[in-house]
Amino acid sequence: MPNTRSAAKRVRTSQKRRAYNRAIKSRVKTLIKRFEEAVQGGEKELAVERFRVAASALDRAAIKGVVHKNLAARKKSRMASKLASLS
């Protein structure tokens, strides 16, 4: 239980940020799963489109500070190598 007004505000702010960050992370994970499903199915055109969408979402999350930029780069790199193996 917060003891001061500023501590109470920090609690409210943290709850809002946590919900915002969780939503973005969940969306990114969903997009990556959809990409991997397309790769598993061998659908190259669909995989290329889903790679583009997932990479864009990762970049936006990294810019906003939800995920670290190196995590975004690593995930994009691994997705790109999976996409290349489809060729």
Side-chain angles (χ1 to χ4, degrees):
M1 195 72 202
N3 290 324
T4 62
R5 285 177 59 203
S6 60
K9 182 176 179 181
R10 290 302 303 167
V11 169
R12 291 193 306 270
T13 307
S14 295
Q15 287 172 341
K16 285 180 191 173
R17 285 180 177 269
R18 179 171 180 256
Y20 174 80
N21 290 343
R22 285 183 71 182
I24 291 177
K25 283 184 184 180
S26 176
R27 174 152 172 74
V28 167
K29 288 177 186 177
T30 301
L31 292 172
I32 291 172
K33 282 181 190 173
R34 286 183 185 163
F35 163 76
E36 289 176 351
E37 287 170 2
V39 170
Q40 290 293 324
E43 305 171 62
K44 186 169 167 69
E45 299 83 25
L46 184 60
V48 169
E49 174 62 26
R50 288 184 175 176
F51 171 79
R52 190 181 61 74
V53 172
S56 175
L58 272 167
D59 285 336
R60 282 196 305 267
I63 288 168
K64 292 178 180 183
V66 177
V67 297
H68 196 276
K69 63 178 185 170
N70 290 352
L71 181 140
R74 181 174 66 243
K75 287 191 179 286
K76 282 174 23 185
S77 174
R78 289 178 180 172
M79 286 193 311
S81 65
K82 286 179 184 177
L83 188 62
S85 71
L86 213 58
S87 300

